[in-house]
Amino acid sequence: MLAVGGQHFGVDFTPRPAKAIEIETVVWQFAQDYPGVEGDDTLLPVGTVHIKTHDGTDWMSTYDGNSKAVTGPASLRRLIADYNAKGIEVVAWFVPKGVDVERQVAMAEAVLDTGVKALYADVEPFDGFCYWDCNYLAEQFWWRLRAERPEANLGVIYDPRSWTWQDSGTWKWLSTANAALPMCYWELYADQGIWADPSGCVSQAHADLSWLAPGRQLEYIPMLEGDTSGDKFLAAMDAARSAGSSRVSIWRRGVVRPEVWEAAWNIWEPTQAVASAWPSYWVWSPCPWDGCILKEESSPALYVLYSGAKFHIPSPDALAAMGRRPEDYWIVGAGMLQTVADVPWDGTLLQEAGSPTVYAVYAGAKFAIPSPAALYAMGLGFQQVHTVAPGGLSQIPNVPREGTQLMELGSATEWQITAGARFPLPSPEVRDALIGAGALEATPYIVPLGSLAQIPTTPHDGARVREFSSSAEWQVAAGAKFPLPDAMVRNQLVRKSALEWRLNIVPDGTLAALPTAPRDGARVQELASNAEWQIASGMKFALTDAGRREALIAAGSLSAEVTVVPPGALGAIPEGPQEGTLLQEVSGTTPFVMRCGSLYRIRDNAQLDRLVAGGLARLPIVKVSGPLSEPDITARKRCAGSGIDVCPVARWAAANPFAPPGCKPQETQPSEQR
């Protein structure tokens, strides 16, 4: 009832897909599942495939005439290598049946020993599956497999409908498994109540795990129906996210509709709920007006309600600062406040208690009003200003929603908001073209002068962008842009959560201003490479020592997160240190300078200042993993600026007036000079 109320009276509860849920798909028979909608796995949003290896005591080649069908461990290893080369992992699945326990244990162990990511048993009390032997096989085969392979990653594929549990012995299989994979086939379960609902099936199956596997923390990987609509699939995906799933699988590759693959690509973090003009709490709250303070019966937390949104009151002092009394609240049922948005509707005026700044809310973001004159110029001078607790406005973003069109009061320049950044619209023609492409809202919001300074000019990391008249697409990562060479690389980056599937279209020419080198402190890795790099001062430094890498992270000189970029994307970034670079070990205090192709220790700050002033060294000092040391005597004989490798003392000194101590080349004979 609350969900229905939310949909109709305030918060938008349209099912939204989730970020960081990996998509896996099931292959039953290669002859049946390829090509499907797309024959190339790299063009699908799939990070793992489930390959059926055997049925009872028969390898799948018994039933599948395709040359890729599994004939035994050797052919499975070849499949794993083929998929891994595409950046895809392999899970094996099988149907246990019959009473030959010894043979089935041996086959399962042989499959596990090939290096598959996991092994899943498809347990169903029907003809063609374990049927009447399900309970027997759970006790005699499955539990023995666990005893002999205690570290194996085992999962159970099962029918979530409760009337099947007894015959299948579902709880027995789950009792020693790592993962639960309920088959939510809502189209197949038509007219069967909650099981016919995508969201309901996923949610109910998750709730039932407390009965089927009490006290066990199983990974929840619902198996979703692929022969369905995109909307239903996204509803199931959202329920999986709410249940804490990090992965879902799709039955099965060959029947998944194009709209489902498209929906699977379009997974990103749900945006903050923004209130409509008719808030849900006006329907169920005992205090249905602005300024009400509510608490749920099961929680001590207090919230004040304004313009369809709730604002947390963190303490009695914050309540007092708002001019409200401790007993000034109403009690509502548990969970009701979840239906109330976090962002109020457009035009709402807000102010934190104790602060003189008034904010207006537009397009899901807050904008500071610089003066009363600006307030009246925007037509808001006669509206009430609502007071929230100190810090209460932090829940409202500074960046408007995607596609917003903005203008500052008194300015003729129009702006597009996309990928978390602002882009100027150079002409009405460009504006109208972006509106026609669905990349821009038609109606502009007028915000106070100076408000656009709070919106970045560089898209957020992971954004996928292209200019309107161009076919070239770019990844934004670590504050820099990287060209996407082809669809395969693009899709692999999406699967690794390094790139959003959503394409952001921006005005022509605007991407030229984006940097090509990642921000300092970025930790970067090219796709399909194991090498990691630290970015500093426009250079890349190899990270080869795990301990020193962690020290850089602890010192704040290196990101803990790895940024994945296209293959070859780091080739244009010079490897450091370059001439004149100042370096310091992460655990040290002594600076070094790169001169003459070698490192030299700097003895004091005065020498450092002379080097910088003379253009022989450039700040800042880069913290690196090291170790750093001075060169041997042969390397010390090199000098910069002279054009020769070995030079007399006099000429070397003239070229290096601020040379670090110890860098003293030996006197040479003319015949040695070159």
Side-chain angles (χ1 to χ4, degrees):
M1 290 292 290
L2 287 176
V4 172
Q7 288 172 349
H8 290 285
F9 300 112
V11 185
D12 177 12
F13 274 90
T14 302
R16 301 176 187 271
K19 185 179 181 181
I21 293 187
E22 183 181 342
I23 303 294
E24 306 181 350
T25 192
V26 181
V27 174
W28 169 49
Q29 295 184 18
F30 284 92
Q32 298 291 326
D33 288 315
Y34 282 87
V37 169
E38 171 60 60
D40 187 348
D41 290 289
T42 64
L43 299 181
L44 297 176
V46 172
T48 300
V49 294
H50 300 187
I51 301 295
K52 188 173 183 183
T53 56
H54 58 288
D55 229 31
T57 57
D58 297 320
W59 294 109
M60 272 307 292
S61 56
T62 304
Y63 310 98
D64 183 0
N66 190 279
S67 61
K68 290 188 175 182
V70 175
T71 59
S75 66
L76 180 55
R77 287 191 181 94
R78 287 194 296 272
L79 280 173
I80 293 171
D82 289 344
Y83 279 107
N84 287 173
K86 301 174 183 177
I88 299 173
E89 296 186 277
V90 173
V91 163
W93 70 281
F94 71 105
V95 172
K97 64 180 181 181
V99 294
D100 190 343
V101 171
E102 294 297 328
R103 174 64 176 156
Q104 293 191 66
V105 169
M107 293 181 72
E109 291 178 348
V111 168
L112 286 169
D113 292 344
T114 62
V116 291
K117 183 178 177 181
L119 177 64
Y120 299 156
D122 183 0
V123 180
E124 302 179 52
F126 309 116
D127 190 20
F129 296 86
C130 53
Y131 207 23
W132 301 117
D133 299 318
C134 292
N135 283 273
Y136 171 78
L137 287 171
E139 298 169 2
Q140 301 301 318
F141 156 67
W142 193 238
W143 293 357
R144 178 177 159 187
L145 179 63
R146 171 55 75 196
E148 296 185 9
R149 288 290 192 274
E151 303 301 321
N153 186 4
L154 303 179
V156 181
I157 303 168
Y158 63 97
D159 191 323
R161 296 171 294 178
S162 56
W163 60 267
T164 67
W165 297 349
Q166 181 70 38
D167 291 340
S168 66
T170 307
W171 62 89
K172 296 179 182 178
W173 293 88
L174 290 172
S175 67
T176 189
N178 303 97
L181 294 91
M183 298 178 290
C184 277
Y185 301 161
W186 48 86
E187 306 287 359
L188 182 64
Y189 303 153
D191 301 322
Q192 295 185 34
I194 198 169
W195 308 113
D197 172 56
S199 178
C201 181
V202 172
S203 300
Q204 186 63 51
H206 181 258
D208 288 340
L209 278 178
S210 62
W211 295 92
L212 289 170
R216 305 201 67 232
Q217 297 298 316
L218 298 178
E219 186 176 9
Y220 187 58
I221 313 172
M223 187 172 285
L224 310 182
E225 191 151 14
D227 190 9
T228 188
S229 70
D231 288 343
K232 289 182 178 180
F233 178 79
L234 286 182
M237 283 285 291
D238 195 52
R241 179 192 62 81
S242 298
S245 297
S246 61
R247 296 188 285 155
V248 300
S249 64
I250 308 177
W251 175 268
R252 57 187 169 79
R253 190 192 188 285
V255 300
V256 180
R257 297 182 192 175
E259 62 181 295
V260 171
W261 285 132
E262 184 67 20
W265 273 125
N266 285 278
I267 53 176
W268 59 82
E269 192 68 33
T271 56
Q272 280 188 294
V274 179
S276 69
W278 186 263
S280 59
Y281 62 74
W282 283 8
V283 178
W284 49 256
S285 172
C287 176
W289 53 77
D290 277 354
C292 291
I293 296 177
L294 301 182
K295 71 176 290 293
E296 294 181 354
E297 58 187 0
S298 57
S299 170
L302 298 178
Y303 293 85
V304 63
L305 307 180
Y306 288 123
S307 300
K310 63 179 183 294
F311 297 88
H312 184 225
I313 304 173
S315 66
D317 290 341
L319 185 67
M322 295 169 59
R324 306 294 289 269
R325 297 173 299 173
E327 66 277 6
D328 185 13
Y329 64 83
W330 298 79
I331 299 176
V332 296
M336 284 189 169
L337 288 172
Q338 294 179 13
T339 68
V340 182
D342 298 315
V343 178
W345 59 62
D346 287 344
T348 300
L349 298 180
L350 297 166
Q351 184 178 39
E352 291 183 354
S355 171
T357 306
V358 174
Y359 292 84
V361 176
Y362 282 119
K366 62 180 183 288
F367 299 91
I369 309 294
S371 67
L375 190 67
Y376 281 94
M378 295 174 64
L380 301 172
F382 299 98
Q383 288 191 201
Q384 182 180 357
V385 178
H386 302 301
T387 301
V388 300
L393 295 182
S394 61
Q395 71 190 49
I396 304 177
N398 290 328
V399 179
R401 64 176 173 263
E402 294 290 299
T404 298
Q405 184 184 161
L406 288 182
M407 294 179 66
E408 287 189 339
L409 186 66
S411 172
T413 304
E414 298 171 315
W415 297 80
Q416 173 199 24
I417 306 299
T418 191
R422 56 186 164 100
F423 296 88
L425 299 170
S427 67
E429 291 75 20
V430 170
R431 177 200 63 204
D432 293 343
L434 288 170
I435 292 172
L440 186 67
E441 295 178 2
T443 304
Y445 287 91
I446 309 299
V447 297
L449 191 64
S451 294
L452 291 174
Q454 72 189 42
I455 304 172
T457 56
T458 300
H460 59 246
D461 288 352
R464 175 185 164 207
V465 294
R466 75 167 173 84
E467 293 180 348
F468 182 78
S469 300
S470 172
S471 60
E473 295 184 1
W474 300 79
Q475 173 200 24
V476 178
K481 64 182 179 188
F482 299 94
L484 295 169
D486 52 46
M488 181 184 297
V489 169
R490 178 198 66 196
N491 294 357
Q492 288 177 341
L493 288 170
V494 171
R495 290 206 304 266
K496 288 184 174 292
S497 297
L499 183 69
E500 295 173 351
W501 174 250
R502 183 183 188 275
L503 178 61
N504 300 278
I505 301 174
V506 299
D508 291 343
T510 54
L511 296 181
L514 299 186
T516 56
R519 68 175 72 94
D520 281 1
R523 179 180 166 195
V524 187
Q525 182 180 43
E526 290 183 351
L527 188 69
S529 170
N530 293 324
E532 292 186 4
W533 301 86
Q534 171 194 3
I535 303 297
S537 297
M539 294 172 283
K540 61 187 179 190
F541 298 83
L543 295 167
T544 57
D545 185 290
R548 290 175 176 269
R549 181 192 65 202
E550 296 307 313
L552 282 170
I553 294 172
S557 298
L558 183 68
S559 172
E561 300 295 325
V562 178
T563 296
V564 182
V565 298
L570 301 180
I573 302 173
E575 186 170 353
Q578 299 291 301
E579 188 73 6
T581 303
L582 290 166
L583 301 171
Q584 189 176 69
E585 288 190 41
V586 62
S587 56
T589 58
T590 302
F592 289 73
V593 64
M594 172 61 82
R595 295 293 296 157
C596 319
S598 298
L599 288 175
Y600 294 97
R601 194 183 308 270
I602 298 175
R603 65 175 182 266
D604 54 34
N605 287 334
Q607 187 185 34
L608 174 62
D609 292 341
R610 290 197 303 273
L611 286 167
V612 173
L616 302 178
R618 58 178 181 272
L619 293 168
I621 298 176
V622 177
K623 289 269 190 180
V624 293
S625 61
L628 302 178
S629 61
E630 289 189 283
D632 59 25
I633 190 65
T634 302
R636 291 184 185 184
K637 291 190 292 185
R638 293 197 301 258
C639 60
S642 64
I644 58 176
D645 292 324
V646 180
C647 52
V649 172
R651 186 173 182 183
W652 184 90
N656 297 271
F658 303 116
C663 184
K664 298 181 183 299
Q666 299 172 340
E667 186 69 45
T668 61
Q669 300 299 319
S671 61
E672 293 179 280
Q673 299 181 20
R674 60 188 185 276

